[in-house]
């Protein structure tokens, strides 16, 4: 299989390199094996890409290490790194429509979401960290008698980065931008279901002028390529976004190899509607809470707690809105809900729907797999609402990662805080109320890394993002991400102190 192939994405035909991207070159995987990528709206294979395994990871890490040690790279002016990140953002803007089309083809997302959110937010992330590149500074101290001390922030080294399939392009930029801004080198692995936008980005990376070896991409499976990054003895840090189960295995691999630094972004979600909320707006945000990427969002608002005084009205209006979803091929702009990302994901969601049914929850709406509106065969699931749910049900405790909400009633503020915090997850939570004192009180009491008041599912690259409890370790986005990609070095100078 040649590296460069043509791929049809909607009405565009795009040239795409499909081998491993190492040292600014396309290299065939050592084992020469390949794997297929599906269009989730049709279930049909659209392209084969090269399968990187442990030996390819090793080559990529050696390349990244060589670049990291290169004095020319070490001494690169941070303003030049900033300019390269800006240049990459410019190239993404120039190739906006290709990126939208590839992301739609790979993930099943709507045109509206990719063009309003995924691609612009990815560009915004690059520009934001371009701004940080020459502002990563240390502190100085004359506070200790007869001593002068300063700190400097040095890059960590070779960063291994493992990303999921639900936001392939955005996660790619969340990972590479702060790492490169701080002067690290990167070996990133895309998710096996969604490597296309990352592959496309690598050609832009060359054009933007990234030094060879600074960003390297492996396309392959988690069990070998991903695991090889996590256990590699010469990777200094792993940044992972994905499931809690995989997150645990990455921590174990880091612990039993070289104790590399680990940051984890995992899952979790809940949304609370108080009786004084502007119900119409709360419903629109709650719909977005589940319709964004059709529930395949780590902070999807799948557990909705509604105060008993407004429960009936909320349920009626919310159901009417969910019924308006038009499910079908995501390249048809009239459709508002596309397919789930893969067969595996689709079957997993249907399994959760079955468990809700057998645990005794009421299927208030949907609850089935369906064909798309146009009869297409992809991985479509009806927008689904469960009511009469209890805290111990699997659909309340685990991530469904599909267009499925469970709506429960509550009586008091204290009770709903207990209910919302009764989870091992702590990524995000929403509160809908006009009472701002209550908003501050409840957001303070919620065990979550991101909380929203009168909105839901809004994340900006300039604000830290990450989870409490089993939803993760560390924060991405904002200034906080720079801590993940730098080591602080303290330097003491003796200014007249005698040895004790
Ligand atoms: P996953 O954990 O199965 O896979 C994520 C990535 O890890 C993929 O690239 C995969 O190839 C790799 N991987 C799998 N097994 C591995 C192993 N043993 N060692 C190393 N790498 C391995 O998760 P997924 O199904 O792809 O993604 C969905 C999950 O991700 C959801 O649970 C969701 O909540 C979470 N998520 C979290 C965030 C966040 O920012 N917190 C964002 C997106 C997704």
């Amino acid at each position: 299989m040649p590296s460069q192939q043509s791929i049809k994405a909607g009405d565009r035909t795009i040239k795409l390199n499909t081998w491993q991207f190492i040292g600014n070159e396309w290299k065939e995987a050592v084992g020469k094996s390949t794997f297929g990528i599906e269009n989730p709206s049709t279930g049909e294979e659209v392209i084969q890409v090269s399968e990187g395994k442990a030996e390819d990871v090793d080559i990529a890490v050696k390349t990244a290490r060589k670049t990291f040690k290169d004095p020319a790279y070490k001494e690169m002016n941070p303003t030049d790194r900033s300019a390269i990140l800006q240049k990459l953002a410019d190239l993404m803007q120039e190739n906006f429509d290709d990126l939208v089309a590839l992301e739609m083809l790979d993930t099943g997302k709507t045109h509206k979401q990719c063009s309003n959110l995924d691609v612009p937010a990815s560009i915004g992330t690059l520009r934001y960290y371009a701004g940080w590149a020459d502002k990563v500074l240390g502190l100085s101290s004359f506070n200790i008698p007869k001593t002068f001390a300063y700190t400097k922030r040095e890059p960590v080294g070779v960063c291994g980065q493992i990303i999921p399939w639900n936001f392939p392009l955005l996660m790619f930029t969340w990972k590479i931008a702060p790492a490169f801004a701080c002067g690290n080198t990167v070996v990133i692995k895309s998710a096996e279901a969604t490597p296309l936008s990352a592959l496309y980005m690598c050609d832009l990376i060359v054009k933007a002028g990234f030094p060879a070896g600074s960003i390297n991409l492996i396309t392959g499976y988690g069990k070998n390529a991903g695991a090889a990054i996590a256990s590699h003895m010469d990777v200094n840090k792993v940044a992972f976004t994905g499931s809690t189960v995989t997150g645990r295995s990455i921590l174990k691999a880091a612990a039993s190899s070289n104790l590399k630094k680990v940051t984890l972004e995992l899952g979790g979600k809940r949304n609370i509607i108080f009786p004084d909320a502007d119900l119409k707006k709360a419903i629109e945000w709650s719909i977005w809470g589940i319709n964004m990427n059709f529930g395949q969002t780590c902070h999807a608002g799948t557990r909705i707690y509604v105060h008993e005084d407004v429960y009936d009205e909320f349920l009626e209006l919310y159901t009417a809105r969910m019924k308006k979803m038009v499910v079908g091929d995501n390249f048809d702009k009239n459709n508002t809900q596309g397919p789930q990302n893969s067969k595996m994901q689709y079957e997993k969601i249907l399994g959760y729907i079955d468990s809700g049914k057998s645990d005794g929850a009421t299927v208030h709406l949907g609850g089935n797999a369906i064909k798309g509106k146009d009869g297409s065969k992809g991985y479509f699931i009806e927008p689904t609402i469960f009511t009469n749910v209890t805290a111990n049900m699997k659909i309340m405790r685990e991530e469904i990662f599909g267009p499925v909400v469970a709506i429960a009633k509550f009586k008091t503020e204290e009770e709903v805080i207990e209910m919302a915090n009764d989870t091992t997850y702590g990524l995000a939570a929403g509160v809908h109320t006009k009472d701002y004192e209550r908003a501050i009180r409840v957001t303070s009491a919620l065990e979550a890394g991101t909380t929203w008041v009168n909105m839901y599912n809004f994340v900006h690259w300039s604000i830290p993002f990450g989870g409490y409890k089993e939803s993760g370790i560390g924060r991405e986005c904002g200034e906080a991400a720079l801590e993940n990609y730098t080591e602080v070095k303290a330097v003491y100078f003796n200014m007249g102190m005698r040895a004790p």
Side-chain angles (χ1 to χ4, degrees):
M1 183 190 81
S3 180
Q4 198 176 75
Q5 304 182 50
S6 283
I7 183 164
K8 185 112 181 61
D11 55 6
R12 305 183 77 78
T13 303
I14 299 166
K15 286 213 180 337
L16 193 69
N17 274 298
T18 56
W19 287 358
Q20 309 302 304
F21 180 74
I22 299 175
N24 278 5
E25 287 174 4
W26 294 99
K27 293 192 197 294
E28 191 165 20
V30 174
K32 297 201 186 328
S33 54
T34 63
F35 62 103
I37 303 301
E38 278 180 2
N39 173 351
S41 273
T42 62
E44 282 158 16
E45 185 177 300
V46 291
I47 199 166
Q48 286 272 322
V49 303
S50 138
E51 185 193 351
K53 294 187 180 166
E55 53 270 34
D56 303 287
V57 167
D58 194 46
I59 296 168
V61 171
K62 286 193 171 107
T63 306
R65 175 63 60 195
K66 192 166 166 231
T67 301
F68 185 71
K69 281 177 149 173
D70 183 350
Y73 190 72
K74 277 206 179 316
E75 286 157 23
M76 191 173 173
N77 194 318
T79 307
D80 294 339
R81 284 203 297 277
S82 171
I84 289 171
L85 286 168
Q86 289 286 11
K87 178 74 184 160
L88 183 59
D90 294 343
L91 289 166
M92 288 179 75
Q93 200 67 55
E94 278 169 32
N95 295 279
F96 194 92
D97 293 339
D98 276 0
L99 284 164
V100 167
L102 281 176
E103 201 70 342
M104 287 174 70
L105 180 67
D106 222 3
T107 62
K109 292 182 200 205
T110 58
H111 184 272
K112 195 172 164 193
Q113 190 186 316
C114 289
S115 58
N116 289 341
L117 195 158
D118 294 60
V119 179
S122 303
I123 294 172
T125 302
L126 292 173
R127 297 207 189 282
Y128 175 77
Y129 285 106
W132 270 114
D134 55 6
K135 297 168 194 71
V136 182
L137 306 174
L139 300 169
S140 61
S141 166
F142 287 96
N143 284 348
I144 311 157
K146 298 194 166 118
T147 309
F148 160 58
Y150 67 87
T151 62
K152 61 191 287 244
R153 298 179 68 173
E154 298 181 345
V156 174
V158 176
C159 300
Q161 305 182 313
I162 302 172
I163 56 177
W165 47 263
N166 58 349
F167 287 88
L169 181 63
L170 188 63
M171 292 299 118
F172 184 84
T173 57
W174 275 25
K175 298 285 186 273
I176 67 158
F180 181 74
C182 295
N184 299 280
T185 58
V186 166
V187 175
I188 186 163
K189 190 196 84 63
S190 50
E192 44 272 46
T194 55
L196 303 183
S197 52
L199 287 165
Y200 189 89
M201 285 293 287
C202 289
D203 277 326
L204 302 186
I205 278 172
V206 178
K207 283 193 194 139
F210 279 75
S214 52
I215 310 285
N216 305 276
L217 171 71
I218 297 290
T219 51
Y221 288 91
K223 60 180 185 296
N224 47 44
I229 290 176
S231 60
H232 202 289
M233 292 301 288
D234 202 28
V235 167
N236 301 99
K237 180 221 156 37
V238 168
F240 169 77
T241 299
S243 61
T244 302
V245 174
T246 308
R248 282 186 208 285
S249 78
I250 285 175
L251 262 187
K252 278 188 201 148
S256 54
S257 55
N258 61 343
L259 279 179
K260 52 181 70 64
K261 286 163 72 122
V262 178
T263 45
L264 303 175
E265 297 290 352
L266 313 170
K269 65 297 167 88
R270 58 269 215 233
N271 192 15
I272 304 170
I273 320 292
F274 282 103
D276 64 338
D278 179 327
L279 220 51
K280 254 177 119 181
K281 288 184 185 155
I283 284 166
E284 282 314 305
W285 282 106
S286 304
I287 290 285
W288 174 238
I290 195 68
N291 182 242
M292 179 191 198
N293 209 13
F294 330 131
Q296 300 165 133
T297 308
C298 44
H299 39 70
T302 62
R303 289 192 298 155
I304 308 182
Y305 297 100
V306 187
H307 190 271
E308 58 181 4
D309 290 353
V310 289
Y311 179 86
D312 290 340
E313 192 185 353
F314 180 92
L315 187 61
E316 189 190 327
L317 296 173
Y318 185 85
T319 308
R321 265 304 265 106
M322 283 285 258
K323 277 186 179 163
K324 283 195 187 149
M325 290 293 165
V326 189
V327 185
D329 188 326
N330 61 313
F331 277 96
D332 177 343
K333 286 190 185 163
N334 296 315
N335 294 337
T336 51
Q337 183 182 311
Q340 304 310 131
N341 179 259
S342 64
K343 188 155 192 270
M344 198 181 80
Q345 191 56 27
Y346 166 82
E347 285 169 354
K348 205 166 130 190
I349 298 162
L350 293 174
Y352 275 113
I353 292 177
D354 283 346
S355 95
K357 290 175 183 168
S358 59
D359 282 349
T362 304
V363 182
H364 179 76
L365 182 75
N368 299 297
I370 43 165
K371 288 215 184 315
K373 180 193 70 168
D374 38 12
S376 44
K377 276 193 270 119
Y379 306 127
F380 302 102
I381 294 180
E382 286 179 324
T384 297
I385 303 175
F386 278 109
T387 53
N388 293 319
V389 286
T390 54
N392 55 348
M393 289 179 183
K394 211 167 146 189
I395 54 167
M396 293 295 275
R397 307 210 72 81
E398 296 181 16
E399 279 200 290
I400 303 170
F401 236 54
V404 181
V405 290
I407 307 187
K409 242 183 239 181
F410 73 91
K411 283 188 196 335
T412 66
E413 188 179 303
E414 295 69 32
E415 178 195 27
V416 77
I417 290 168
E418 284 265 315
M419 289 161 100
N421 283 340
D422 178 21
T423 167
T424 53
Y425 290 119
L427 189 62
V431 176
H432 300 265
T433 176
K434 287 194 196 116
D435 177 346
Y436 274 56
E437 280 182 26
R438 189 204 315 262
I440 292 170
R441 216 169 37 238
V442 177
T443 49
S444 302
L446 289 169
E447 296 158 357
T450 295
T451 51
W452 293 288
V453 178
N454 296 331
M455 62 196 307
Y456 202 90
N457 270 357
F458 178 80
V459 172
H460 194 270
W461 48 86
S462 63
I463 305 293
F465 178 77
Y468 280 34
K469 304 203 274 192
E470 291 181 26
S471 287
I473 300 176
R475 293 291 178 271
E476 292 192 293
C477 294
E479 189 178 354
L482 304 176
E483 283 167 25
N484 303 334
Y485 293 103
T486 50
E487 295 276 16
V488 176
K489 177 173 282 175
V491 183
Y492 289 90
F493 276 72
N494 187 344
M495 305 289 284
M497 192 188 282
R498 290 206 176 160

